[in-house]
Amino acid sequence: SYMIWEFGKPPDIVIEIVSNEFGGELDEKLDRYARVGVDYYVVFDPENFLSEEVLLIHQRNAEGVYRRREDFRLPGTGLNLTLWR
């Protein structure tokens, strides 16, 4: 668990691992994390329950709306993601 009131800010990155198609990762949670100010929202969907793509990375813009990244970079964090088998 991450408590915003303990750390004084929202997390920089949230990574969700999809286990079924009923978790709300691409609608409810996407909206919720954007509202609280999470910069990056990553959805790892190894079984393709929600999408044809295994890894979806969303970056919050200046207006507070997520835009999908086409690469696996997380600018400003010093991190890149990759898929390994």
Side-chain angles (χ1 to χ4, degrees):
S1 294
Y2 186 97
M3 313 305 181
I4 291 175
W5 57 89
E6 286 188 24
F7 293 97
K9 69 177 200 66
D12 297 320
I13 304 164
V14 169
I15 300 174
E16 294 272 357
I17 301 171
V18 177
S19 60
N20 61 46
E21 58 191 52
F22 307 110
E25 287 85 1
L26 296 181
D27 45 55
E28 296 164 17
K29 289 183 179 179
L30 191 71
D31 293 338
R32 183 180 317 143
Y33 289 130
R35 269 196 322 272
V36 298
V38 174
D39 290 331
Y40 294 96
Y41 178 55
V42 178
V43 178
F44 178 57
D45 185 10
E47 300 296 323
N48 301 107
F49 286 116
L50 307 177
S51 169
E52 292 294 316
E53 300 197 43
V54 173
L55 191 63
L56 302 166
I57 300 175
H58 302 86
Q59 181 178 9
R60 198 170 61 90
N61 64 18
E63 292 80 36
V65 177
Y66 282 124
R67 297 286 180 229
R68 175 110 182 280
R69 291 194 60 85
E70 296 301 321
D71 60 14
F72 292 167
R73 296 179 328 111
L74 298 122
T77 67
L79 299 173
N80 293 317
L81 299 177
T82 190
L83 294 171
W84 288 13
R85 297 207 182 262

